[in-house]
Amino acid sequence: STTTTMAEVDVQSITTPVTILYCDACGMPPEYCEYGPDFETHCLPWLKKAHPDLLARLHGGRSSNNNNDNDDGNNNNAGPTAPWTTKERLIAFYTKYQPDKLDGIDGILEKYAGKEDKLFTALVKKYGPEPEDPFYLGSDSDDDDSDDGGVNEQLEGMDLGGGNKKKRRGAAAKKVNKVDTRVIVQKISRNRKKAVTHVVGLDTAPGIKLKEASKAFSKRFAGSSSVKDKEIIIQGDHLEEVAEMIVTKFGVSGDAVFLDLDGEFVSYA
C-alpha cells in the first residue's frame, strides 16, 4: 500500500498545472529578463512595481539599493530610475487631454502595435505637446554640467566679436554689445539606446524665444522638450533634424549652426 501511495503522489505532482509568470514588458519569464536589451528601462521598473518580492529574490542587490533610497527619506527629491514605457506615455497623454479614454488604452496599444511613433505624432497634432517625462528632466541636473561644459567652453572660445573694444554711448553701444549667433546641436546618450538632443546657443539668435522653440520641437518630434539654463533638451536622437529645423523654421544661417560629432564641431552649412 505504501508503494501505491507514493506512486499516486508522484502522478499528482506531475499532472498538477504550473502557473508561469511572464514579464509584462518583454514577454519573457522574469528569470530571463536581464538578458534582454530593455531590462533596466522596462523590465526592472515593472518587477519593482508588480512583484517586489520576486525582484528581491532574483536581483537582491538592485532592490536593496532602492530600499536604501527609501530609508533616507528623500523620495521626493529622487528622480525616476527609468523613462516612461509606451503605455505610461499614453496614460500621461490621455490623463492630460482626454481622461475619459483611459479605460481603452490597452486596446489602443494593441491596435497601434509597431506604429507607436505614428500614434503619438497624430495625438500631438490633435491635442497638443506630449507631457514631459520626469526621467529626462530629473536626470539632467547632475549630468548637464559635466556633459555640456565643453560646449560652453567652445562657445566662449569662438570669436563673437566686440571683445576688446572700448565702451561707447548711445546707438554705438548696441553694436558693441551685439553677440553673433552660434548654435550647437549635440546628442547625449543616457541609458543604452536612450538619448536626448541638446540645443545650446539658440538664445543668441535674434527674435527667437526658447520656450516657443521648445514647444515647436516637441510638436515636431512628438516627444517632450524643455528649457533649462538657456538650453533646449529634446527627448530622442534628432541631431540632423533639429539642425535642419533651426535653419528652415527659425531662419538661422547654416554657417551659425554646428553639430557636435564626437567632440568635433562641424558646421551644418
Side-chain angles (χ1 to χ4, degrees):
S1 59
T2 304
T3 304
T4 303
T5 302
M6 293 298 296
E8 291 176 354
V9 172
D10 291 339
V11 171
Q12 183 179 3
S13 64
I14 294 174
T15 58
T16 301
V18 177
T19 302
I20 300 177
L21 176 66
Y22 292 95
C23 175
D24 195 35
C26 70
M28 296 289 291
E31 292 83 356
Y32 300 96
C33 285
E34 63 180 318
Y35 301 106
D38 300 322
F39 173 65
E40 293 184 357
T41 57
H42 294 81
C43 303
L44 193 60
W46 173 78
L47 271 173
K48 180 181 177 183
K49 182 178 180 181
H51 301 280
D53 295 338
L54 181 59
L55 173 65
R57 181 164 60 87
L58 295 176
H59 310 285
R62 297 179 186 271
S63 60
S64 62
N65 291 336
N66 294 334
N67 291 336
N68 290 338
D69 293 339
N70 295 336
D71 294 339
D72 292 339
N74 295 326
N75 292 338
N76 293 333
N77 295 328
T81 58
W84 283 341
T85 62
T86 301
K87 184 174 182 178
E88 289 172 336
R89 287 176 62 191
L90 199 58
I91 290 175
F93 205 105
Y94 278 124
T95 299
K96 180 178 180 180
Y97 294 107
Q98 200 83 25
D100 58 315
K101 290 189 176 182
L102 287 172
D103 294 337
I105 283 182
D106 289 334
I108 295 174
L109 288 173
E110 183 177 355
K111 180 179 179 180
Y112 288 92
K115 303 177 182 178
E116 289 83 358
D117 290 341
K118 293 183 179 180
L119 170 62
F120 282 98
T121 299
L123 289 174
V124 168
K125 289 182 179 179
K126 182 176 181 180
Y127 295 107
E130 181 180 351
E132 295 179 350
D133 188 338
F135 172 77
Y136 294 102
L137 296 179
S139 60
D140 292 330
S141 58
D142 296 331
D143 297 338
D144 285 346
D145 294 338
S146 59
D147 290 341
D148 301 335
V151 176
N152 293 329
E153 291 176 1
Q154 291 285 345
L155 281 173
E156 293 174 358
M158 291 181 178
D159 182 13
L160 302 181
N164 298 321
K165 293 183 179 180
K166 296 182 179 179
K167 295 183 179 179
R168 301 179 182 180
R169 297 177 180 271
K174 295 182 180 180
K175 296 182 180 179
V176 174
N177 293 332
K178 182 179 178 180
V179 178
D180 291 340
T181 300
R182 293 290 186 274
V183 183
I184 292 179
V185 184
Q186 62 175 174
K187 179 189 76 173
I188 297 179
S189 298
R190 296 296 184 191
N191 288 341
R192 295 184 180 181
K193 298 180 181 179
K194 301 297 180 180
V196 290
T197 303
H198 280 223
V199 180
V200 185
L202 191 58
D203 57 309
T204 63
I208 296 180
K209 296 182 179 180
L210 295 184
K211 289 186 177 181
E212 293 181 358
S214 176
K215 290 181 180 179
F217 287 130
S218 178
K219 184 176 181 180
R220 167 66 176 79
F221 301 111
S224 64
S225 177
S226 60
V227 179
K228 181 178 180 181
D229 298 332
K230 295 185 178 182
E231 297 181 15
I232 298 179
I233 304 169
I234 307 163
Q235 178 181 351
D237 178 9
H238 308 292
L239 193 71
E240 294 281 351
E241 295 90 340
V242 167
E244 179 183 3
M245 189 172 174
I246 291 174
V247 173
T248 58
K249 182 176 180 63
F250 300 117
V252 178
S253 172
D255 296 333
V257 180
F258 297 86
L259 302 179
D260 182 358
L261 303 178
D262 297 328
E264 181 180 355
F265 294 88
V266 179
S267 175
Y268 182 72

